[in-house]
Amino acid sequence: MAMKKTAVLLMFLMLGAVIAAGCISSNGSTTTPTVPSTTSSETSSPSPSPTTTSGSSPSETTTTATEKPYYPITITDFADREVTIEKEPMKVVTLAPSITEDLYYLGLFDRVVGVTDYDDFPPEVANVTRIGGYGQYANLEIIASLKPDLILVDSFSMPILSDLEKIAPVVVVDPHSLDDIPKALELLGKVFNKEDVAASAMAEFQAGIDAISSAVKDEPKLKIFYVVWNNPLMTAGGGTFISDIMNLAGGENIFADAEGWPTVSIEQVIERDPDVIILTPHCGMTVQDVYKGELANTKAAKEGKVFVIENENDLIHPSPRVVRGLETLAKLLHPKAFETAYPLTVTDFAGRQVTIESEPMRIVSLAPSITESLFYIGAGDKVVGVTDYDDFPPVVRNITSVGGYGQYANLEIIASLNPDLILVDSFSMPILSDLEKIAPVVIVDPKNISDIYIEIEMLGEITNREEGARAVVADMKAKVSYITSMVNGQEKPKVLFITWWNPLYVPGSGTFQDDLIKLAGGENIFSDMSGWAQVSLEQVLERNPEIIILSAHAGITAEDLCNTELANTDAVKNGRVYTISDDNLVSRPGPRIVYGLEEIAEFLHPELFNYQPQPLVCNAASSASG
C-alpha cells in the first residue's frame, strides 16, 4: 500500500451544544496536535532563588528579592466576571466537553475529576467520574462529592451558577467562534499558571488551521449542504461555526445567506444544487436515504459526493479538536490536495500485485457491490461502465451498461469506454486475461463484513478517496457495534433463512446471510452446511426454526407458508415469519449490508429495537400438507 504524499493536521468545528444533541454526530488522523508533556508534578509557583548582579563576583552574590507567588490570581472570564483563584487548581470539574478537551491539549487532563455524560475525548475520559448532563443538567450532589477546587463551565451552566459557586470557584469559558478557541486556551493558561504551554497550544492550533486551509486555497469552492437534522430538515446558516469551517475547508455553504440554524425545504436544496452533501451519524438521514429520496436529484448524489462525518463532535466542540474535523472535511472536498502517491502497487483479494500508474479517472465496475462502494466513498463520478444488474444508487442507470455480471460482460463495450481501471470480483475470473488487455484489473472479493471493510479501504486508496473510504468504514463499524452491543447476552433464536423455495435453498457457513444472522444475535440452523445448500422440508422440521426469514424474491410469501409443512414449525405457529425488504441488503458485499444486518436484528429482537412487526396469522382452515 502506498504512503500519503503529505499528512496534514486533523480536526473541525461548529457551534453550540443545543443542536449538538441532534446531528450537529477513527481516529485515523495521523497529525493531531501533540499534547505538551506537562504534568501536575510541575510546580506552578517558582521557588525563591538568589539574584546575581551582572558582573559581580561569586562572593558578592546576595539574595536581593523573593519572587512573588503566582497565587492568588484574579482573572476575568468569558462572562466578564472577576474570579479569584486562591491556589493552584488540582481537582477540576468541567461541565462542557470542549473545556475538558482544552485541558487535554494543555497537558492538564490528569487534574480533571468530573466530566459530563457527553464527554468523549480524549479516550481516557471514559475513566473519569460522570457528573450527569451537560451544563445546567449536571448533578450538584455528585459535583460536591468530588470536592473540586475549581469548576469550569460554559454559558449552558449559567442557570445553576450560584449553586456551583457554593461548591468551588467557577470560571466561565464560553467560546462561540474559531477566534475564541485561542482565547479560551489563553484564559485557562492563566488560571493554571501554564501560560507558556497555552501559547504553544495556541500556536499549534493556528498552524493546523493554516496548513489545511493553505492546502486547499487553490482548489475550486464546492457548494455544500450540511444536514443538521432531517425532520424537519435543518441546516447551518451563515455566521455559524460550521459555515466558517466549510470556507476554510475549501467549500461554500449553500445556505450562507440564512441566519443560525434554519429549516429548509427539499425544493430549496435541489434548487441550490449542492456539489457535496454532509451528514453525521445522528442527523436522522443516511446516505441511502439521500440516494433513494428526492435529494438524489442533486449533483452531489449524482456524482457520489454524499458523506457521513464520523464524529460530529470533531465539528462542534470549540476546542483544538476542531482541526480534526477541518482536515476530514477538507480531504472529502478536495482529495487531490492530499493526493495518494502514484504509481501505486496494491495486492488484491486474489493475491495479485497490480500497479496503477496514475489516479484512475475512468473506471468500469463488473459487480454491483463494487459500484455501490465507489459511490459511497465519493468516487462515483469516475464510473463510466456498469453491469445490467447495477441499480443503486439510481443514477447508475444513466451510466453505460457493459452487459452481464462478471464473466458475462461485453468485452467490446468495455474496451470502447477506454477505462484506466477495471474492478471485478471472482465472477470475472474466466475473462480476467481478456480484461487485462484493456486496462489494469483489481479483484475485490470480500467474504464477510471484515473483508468489506478491507475492500472499501482498498478502493479508497486506489481511487485517491481514502478519507471518504475511512468515513464509510467508520460509519459501518459504528452501526455494527451498536447492533452487536444491543443483542449481546440475549438468547439466540434459531433462524431459517430461505433464499429460494422450490427447490429449497438456504445459506450455510461462508455466506453473508450466515454472518449477518450471527451478528444480529441469532443461530442459523444450517450453519453446519457450507455455502448455498439445498435442504428438504424434513430437515427444516427436524431443526424446527423459531424464526423464518424470506428473501424478497424467494418464490414464496409468508402467507403461503401456512399451506406448507412448515406451518408445523414454531416460527409459523408463533407468527414469526419475516421478509427482507431488499435482497441486495443481505447479498451485496458493500456499505449497505449494515442495513441488512439492522433489519435482521429487528426481526430477531424486536423488543430491543422498538420494532413492531405485523405477526403472520395463518387461517385455521389452511392446509399444512404442503
Side-chain angles (χ1 to χ4, degrees):
M1 300 289 180
M3 298 293 292
K4 290 198 100 49
K5 189 193 280 183
T6 305
V8 184
L9 290 167
L10 199 100
M11 295 164 89
F12 193 69
L13 134 286
M14 186 155 157
L15 89 139
V18 175
I19 307 257
C23 181
I24 316 198
S25 158
S26 125
N27 291 329
S29 172
T30 58
T31 54
T32 333
T34 55
V35 181
S37 57
T38 308
T39 67
S40 58
S41 63
E42 296 177 354
T43 54
S44 298
S45 302
S47 301
S49 58
T51 301
T52 304
T53 303
S54 177
S56 60
S57 65
S59 62
E60 297 174 322
T61 301
T62 58
T63 301
T64 59
T66 300
E67 289 189 22
K68 181 181 178 181
Y70 188 80
Y71 296 98
I73 181 176
T74 299
I75 55 91
T76 302
D77 67 11
F78 272 65
D80 288 327
R81 300 162 58 251
E82 286 195 348
V83 183
T84 298
I85 313 294
E86 298 291 344
K87 61 179 181 178
E88 181 178 0
M90 301 304 296
K91 296 180 65 178
V92 183
V93 168
T94 74
L95 270 60
S98 61
I99 300 175
T100 306
E101 294 165 14
D102 284 337
L103 295 179
Y104 168 75
Y105 286 105
L106 292 173
L108 296 166
F109 181 72
D110 59 338
R111 304 192 188 190
V112 178
V113 297
V115 296
T116 75
D117 293 338
Y118 297 96
D119 280 73
D120 67 340
F121 184 88
E124 295 82 3
V125 79
N127 302 319
V128 180
T129 300
R130 301 286 167 162
I131 50 85
Y134 174 35
Q136 62 181 299
Y137 300 105
N139 187 306
L140 294 169
E141 291 184 5
I142 297 177
I143 295 173
S145 72
L146 296 172
K147 299 180 179 179
D149 46 26
L150 180 66
I151 301 173
L152 298 172
V153 306
D154 65 9
S155 57
F156 286 95
S157 292
M158 298 306 283
I160 60 170
L161 184 60
S162 60
D163 295 316
L164 293 171
E165 289 177 316
K166 296 174 185 177
I167 301 173
V170 180
V171 174
V172 179
V173 185
D174 196 35
H176 285 281
S177 69
L178 197 62
D179 292 337
D180 283 344
I181 294 176
K183 294 177 184 177
L185 294 172
E186 182 179 25
L187 174 61
L188 292 170
K190 291 178 180 178
V191 168
F192 289 91
N193 189 20
K194 300 294 181 185
E195 293 180 82
D196 55 340
V197 177
S200 176
M202 291 159 59
E204 191 166 5
F205 168 72
Q206 191 58 53
I209 297 292
D210 292 344
I212 297 166
S213 58
S214 175
V216 300
K217 65 181 177 62
D218 295 326
E219 300 293 330
K221 290 280 188 179
L222 298 181
K223 296 188 297 180
I224 304 172
F225 175 51
Y226 183 90
V227 180
V228 171
W229 189 245
N230 182 26
N231 190 16
L233 187 59
M234 295 174 63
T235 188
T240 59
F241 218 45
I242 190 67
S243 194
D244 292 341
I245 290 303
M246 290 182 200
N247 290 330
L248 286 171
E252 174 186 325
N253 180 7
I254 64 170
F255 287 103
D257 58 335
E259 291 295 324
W261 307 95
T263 298
V264 298
S265 67
I266 293 289
E267 291 73 23
Q268 285 176 297
V269 178
I270 293 174
E271 181 183 353
R272 301 190 182 201
D273 199 19
D275 300 305
V276 178
I277 295 175
I278 298 294
L279 312 173
T280 64
H282 305 110
C283 67
M285 182 183 292
T286 67
V287 177
Q288 183 175 223
D289 292 335
V290 173
Y291 286 135
K292 294 177 71 174
E294 293 179 78
L295 291 179
N297 296 312
T298 60
K299 183 179 179 182
K302 292 175 182 177
E303 295 188 355
K305 297 294 190 300
V306 183
F307 303 109
V308 179
I309 295 288
E310 176 187 352
N311 191 334
E312 65 263 49
N313 291 336
D314 285 347
L315 313 178
I316 65 174
H317 286 183
S319 82
R321 180 182 181 179
V322 300
V323 182
R324 295 166 59 109
L326 174 58
E327 185 180 10
T328 296
L329 186 58
K331 286 183 174 180
L332 290 175
L333 298 182
H334 300 293
K336 281 187 176 296
F338 309 88
E339 190 170 15
T340 297
Y342 294 94
L344 170 69
T345 299
V346 299
T347 301
D348 68 11
F349 275 67
R352 302 161 58 251
Q353 284 200 331
V354 183
T355 297
I356 298 163
E357 297 296 336
S358 59
E359 180 179 339
M361 302 306 294
R362 298 182 60 80
I363 300 174
V364 167
S365 166
L366 296 188
S369 61
I370 296 174
T371 304
E372 292 186 17
S373 297
L374 290 171
F375 270 84
Y376 265 76
I377 67 173
D381 57 336
K382 297 173 179 283
V383 180
V384 297
V386 297
T387 75
D388 292 340
Y389 296 93
D390 283 73
D391 58 2
F392 191 89
V395 70
V396 300
R397 297 190 180 96
N398 300 324
I399 299 175
T400 300
S401 173
V402 297
Y405 173 34
Q407 62 181 299
Y408 300 105
N410 185 307
L411 294 169
E412 290 185 6
I413 297 177
I414 295 174
S416 72
L417 294 173
N418 297 314
D420 46 23
L421 179 65
I422 302 172
L423 296 170
V424 306
D425 64 11
S426 58
F427 286 94
S428 292
M429 295 303 284
I431 60 170
L432 181 60
S433 59
D434 294 317
L435 292 172
E436 289 177 317
K437 295 174 184 176
I438 301 173
V441 180
V442 174
I443 299 170
V444 286
D445 198 33
K447 301 299 183 186
N448 51 50
I449 287 187
S450 294
D451 280 353
I452 296 176
Y453 300 151
I454 295 172
E455 170 208 10
I456 292 170
E457 289 169 347
M458 176 183 289
L459 292 176
E461 183 180 24
I462 290 170
T463 62
N464 188 34
R465 296 294 183 268
E466 287 187 273
E467 188 62 34
R470 190 194 64 78
V472 170
V473 171
D475 190 43
M476 290 179 66
K477 286 183 176 179
K479 186 173 285 291
V480 171
S481 177
Y482 165 70
I483 292 170
T484 54
S485 67
M486 290 290 285
V487 302
N488 185 40
Q490 302 293 318
E491 289 189 13
K492 297 182 178 181
K494 296 189 296 180
V495 181
L496 168 67
F497 195 112
I498 298 177
T499 56
W500 188 250
W501 174 247
N502 190 15
L504 182 57
Y505 272 92
V506 299
S509 63
T511 63
F512 283 107
Q513 287 84 346
D514 180 66
D515 200 24
L516 295 177
I517 290 171
K518 290 175 182 175
L519 288 171
E523 175 191 337
N524 178 8
I525 64 172
F526 288 107
S527 62
D528 58 329
M529 298 187 174
S530 180
W532 303 100
Q534 183 177 343
V535 299
S536 66
L537 290 176
E538 290 73 24
Q539 287 175 293
V540 174
L541 291 170
E542 182 182 349
R543 302 189 183 199
N544 191 21
E546 298 169 88
I547 294 173
I548 295 175
I549 300 175
L550 302 173
S551 290
H553 301 95
I556 193 169
T557 67
E559 291 73 17
D560 290 339
L561 289 182
C562 294
N563 300 314
T564 72
E565 291 181 41
L566 296 192
N568 296 311
T569 62
D570 286 345
V572 177
K573 288 178 182 177
N574 296 322
R576 300 202 65 185
V577 180
Y578 310 102
T579 303
I580 286 289
S581 63
D582 183 349
D583 289 341
N584 294 330
L585 298 182
V586 296
S587 61
R588 287 184 183 174
R592 291 199 299 159
I593 201 162
V594 294
Y595 299 113
L597 171 61
E598 184 176 41
E599 205 166 306
I600 292 175
E602 290 175 341
F603 295 160
L604 272 53
H605 301 283
E607 70 286 352
L608 299 179
F609 299 95
N610 196 29
Y611 178 65
Q612 297 179 328
Q614 184 67 37
L616 170 68
V617 178
C618 291
N619 189 311
S622 295
S623 169
S625 62

